[in-house]
Amino acid sequence: MKPLLTHPLYLSLFLYYFVTLLVASYTPIDDITLACGYSRDQATSNYNHRNWTGDINSKFPPIQDGFPLSPGQKFIRLYFNPASYQDFDRSKSNFSVKAGGFTLLKDFNAYAAAKFDDMETLIREFCVNIDSQQQSLNIIFSPTRDIPDSYAFINGIEIVSMPTNLYYTAAESHGIQYLSNQVNFYIGNNTALESMYRINVGGSQVLPERDTGMYRNWYATDDLYLNDVSRRSSIIPLTNKVELRFSKIPEYTAPKEVYRTGRSMGGNNKTLKLSYNLTWGFHVDPNFFYLVRLHFCEFEIIITRPRDRVFLIYIANQTAEKHADIIQWSGGNGVPLYRDYIVSMPGQGSKKKVNLFLALQANPNDWLSNYADALLNGLEIFKLNDTNGNLAGPNPDLPEVTAPEPGSQNPKNLNKKKLTAIVAGVAVTGILVLCVLGYLVFKRGRKVKDSSYCQKPKWGPFSFATTKSTKSRGLSLSSDLCHHFHWLRSKKPLKTSTIFLSSVLVGLVMCTKGMWTVGPHAWRSNG
């Protein structure tokens, strides 16, 4: 009797399940996590169940020739905590970030962006390709020269490999449908992308450690982007825990949770479902192309055949699909897939943001669809760089600060404030004198030591915090300050992993617990 594995049937089944296990989760070649401003031995954290290492005294110091990387497509994630850092005005954190020949952020104001997003901590995710000749990547931070007292800072840097052509177009592919033109669109390796939205529609948040090996965050916020009628009328169908079969796409494309949940148009009320479009609206930057990826999987037991559920899809007010039939696309119930579309978003006057609408419409023709309904399981939206290699959009307006009207204060209170100010002034002067004397005594008795690096932080660089809008579980980064200041002078540009100094300027580089800053004005001529 032959061994089981030598039989063609058993051998093919074994190979199928073996390959399935291999592709279930992706293992990145490059997986770099840096807690900026910490020494190598100081910063470790279990955020995302990963160790975050300080960049100082590490193999990725703040001043070097770039990150050594293997060829291929990468995620770059930048972490910002726009807190108040000593004497720096957080509203003036205006700076640009460049990497791989692309402008990722330009005159970026982290404080304004955090206020606009109603988030305490910002994470900006980008995709770039490293070709075989590059072998390294420089990430360059430069404060905005035209704004007095502007400065740059960074709290964390993450670089993770991705599978080839996960978001880029394969050479043998027919391209992506461009809704404004009959010509298909190709996202080549000479393109950079910025992740704008990644949502598990109708489901719970999938945290980075539960992603398929790339540490992507799948938010559970699609209801925030629905219009009023869609929020009132749509439902989240109950899943029967269908066994997923990844025969159309690799299993690492998205977590299984994405394909086991979704949002549809409503129960059995056909009149209601035909009376509205299931519509989301997303704020995006004008004058860019966008990749819109829609994730689908039929998991309801009544939807098993083609024409069971056929609907229409509109993106950016254009028809993307007239006959969206998930079963016909996938071949059966429980088979995940995605569809990609390219749209352009022109400007609208002086508006800094425009709305990218996604709408699903139940098919009104009974002979075309057995059920009047629509379904979406997940979505991702990426911005593509423009012809100048730029991904940066305009900053949102800074929050207005209302000043008290002149003469609105009580004179008695003013007198009290004057007296308090006098007492405080005397007290501060006394403290300063004592500090100076103490410093001189301390300095005499102290050996001269290298003070290039931060002291050991009280907390790790990352901790969890809930955002005000409860959109997601955000990230809180330490904002404690180190007591070390450094002047760097350079006759040529310094390319660094976290800092850039202009060739004719002198910058004050401040090492803090949990960040690096470049503080200009502090900028002054060196020539």
Side-chain angles (χ1 to χ4, degrees), residues 195-435:
S195 174
M196 307 298 290
Y197 298 91
R198 181 178 289 120
I199 298 177
N200 180 20
V201 175
S204 58
Q205 182 181 4
V206 182
L207 294 171
E209 60 266 27
R210 289 167 49 205
D211 188 35
T212 57
M214 289 166 272
Y215 308 104
R216 297 167 297 179
N217 203 336
W218 297 79
Y219 293 96
T221 55
D222 79 292
D223 58 313
L224 297 176
Y225 307 105
L226 291 170
N227 62 10
D228 290 339
V229 64
S230 298
R231 192 177 295 110
R232 289 194 309 267
S233 305
S234 64
I235 65 168
I236 298 174
L238 294 176
T239 175
N240 64 340
K241 299 294 183 181
V242 62
E243 188 66 30
L244 299 178
R245 294 176 290 121
F246 285 86
S247 58
K248 291 294 183 179
I249 58 175
E251 193 165 343
Y252 54 65
T253 302
K256 291 181 178 180
E257 292 94 323
V258 173
Y259 299 112
R260 288 192 170 123
T261 57
R263 186 177 294 275
S264 64
M265 299 190 69
N268 298 319
N269 190 335
K270 181 178 178 180
T271 302
L272 171 65
K273 290 185 286 188
L274 292 175
S275 67
Y276 79 101
N277 289 347
L278 181 54
T279 304
W280 296 263
F282 302 96
H283 288 306
V284 297
D285 297 322
N287 302 313
F288 285 95
F289 288 97
Y290 289 86
L291 165 65
V292 180
R293 172 167 292 183
L294 305 181
H295 295 266
F296 298 104
C297 181
E298 287 287 7
F299 54 76
E300 294 184 88
I301 57 176
I302 61 172
I303 308 295
T304 58
R305 298 175 300 173
R307 291 181 54 184
D308 272 353
R309 174 156 41 194
V310 181
F311 53 96
L312 293 84
I313 303 175
Y314 305 95
I315 304 175
N317 301 320
Q318 300 172 81
T319 302
E321 299 288 351
K322 294 181 179 178
H323 305 284
D325 189 332
I326 301 173
I327 293 292
Q328 187 177 49
W329 289 341
S330 64
N333 190 284
V335 180
L337 62 91
Y338 65 81
R339 305 281 284 190
D340 286 344
Y341 308 90
I342 297 290
V343 296
S344 60
M345 297 300 296
Q348 299 177 7
S350 59
K351 288 185 177 180
K352 293 185 176 182
K353 299 287 183 181
V354 293
N355 280 318
L356 191 163
F357 290 105
L358 167 65
L360 310 182
Q361 179 188 0
N363 200 308
N365 300 311
D366 291 338
W367 60 276
L368 284 176
S369 181
N370 294 329
Y371 297 94
D373 204 353
L375 175 71
L376 181 64
N377 303 80
L379 70 87
E380 298 175 88
I381 300 177
F382 292 87
K383 185 202 304 181
L384 279 57
N385 68 271
D386 64 17
T387 54
N388 297 317
N390 175 58
L391 272 169
N395 275 316
D397 294 325
L398 282 169
E400 294 184 2
V401 179
T402 305
E405 296 182 6
S408 61
Q409 299 192 43
N410 191 315
K412 291 183 179 180
N413 291 338
L414 289 175
N415 291 334
K416 288 182 181 179
K417 288 183 179 180
K418 287 180 181 178
L419 180 60
T420 303
I422 293 171
V423 173
V426 173
V428 168
T429 303
I431 291 171
L432 286 174
V433 171
L434 290 174
C435 287

Side-chain angles (χ1 to χ4, degrees), residues 54-124:
D55 57 349
I56 302 171
N57 280 339
S58 74
K59 62 179 179 179
F60 307 115
I63 298 177
Q64 60 161 16
D65 292 328
F67 293 97
L69 298 172
S70 64
Q73 295 147 7
K74 316 291 178 186
F75 290 106
I76 300 175
R77 299 185 181 108
L78 305 177
Y79 293 76
F80 302 100
N81 178 25
S84 295
Y85 295 103
Q86 207 186 39
D87 294 330
F88 288 98
D89 183 351
R90 61 180 177 175
S91 67
K92 294 184 178 180
S93 59
N94 290 79
F95 54 93
S96 298
V97 181
K98 294 184 178 181
F102 298 99
T103 300
L104 307 183
L105 300 169
K106 185 176 181 181
D107 299 333
F108 175 67
N109 188 294
Y111 173 64
K115 286 292 184 183
F116 181 81
D117 291 343
D118 198 14
M119 304 283 282
E120 294 178 0
T121 298
L122 297 174
I123 304 175
R124 290 291 185 262

